Amino acid sequence: MPADLRHQAAKRPANLSIDASLLREARTLEINISRAAEEGIAKAVADAKSERWRAENRQALQSSNAFVEANGLPLERYRQF
């Protein structure tokens, strides 16, 4: 979900355990803890989805790469670069 829509979505409270010195430093720097946590979680979710997709499609990607190695790019003769 894009960041601008994520901030409009319904919010739910959550209890988090955060390193005390990190939390103190973030507050000193006036960092919005909730927003920073949400952005960090959103990145972790995106990374996990990406890794899951790569794992689920690993065989197809390997097969495609093997084809290109053996036969070259299918439309290579039309490349202009």
Side-chain angles (χ1 to χ4, degrees):
M1 177 182 301
D4 55 333
L5 294 179
R6 200 170 43 247
H7 291 293
Q8 296 173 4
K11 305 284 184 172
R12 297 196 57 186
N15 293 323
L16 303 172
S17 297
I18 301 173
D19 179 90
S21 61
L22 182 61
L23 183 59
R24 186 171 36 256
E25 189 173 10
R27 286 184 175 151
T28 299
L29 296 169
E30 298 180 6
I31 293 172
N32 182 319
I33 305 300
S34 294
R35 183 172 297 140
E38 187 173 351
E39 288 171 359
I41 292 167
K43 183 183 180 327
V45 167
D47 291 348
K49 284 181 175 181
S50 178
E51 181 55 37
R52 180 178 289 175
W53 184 91
R54 280 193 299 277
E56 290 172 351
N57 292 283
R58 185 167 285 122
Q59 185 177 358
L61 293 169
Q62 289 172 343
S63 172
S64 177
N65 289 339
F67 176 87
V68 170
E69 283 181 29
N71 304 295
L73 292 171
L75 301 175
E76 188 168 6
R77 66 178 174 243
Y78 298 110
R79 291 179 72 174
Q80 305 217 357
F81 54 92

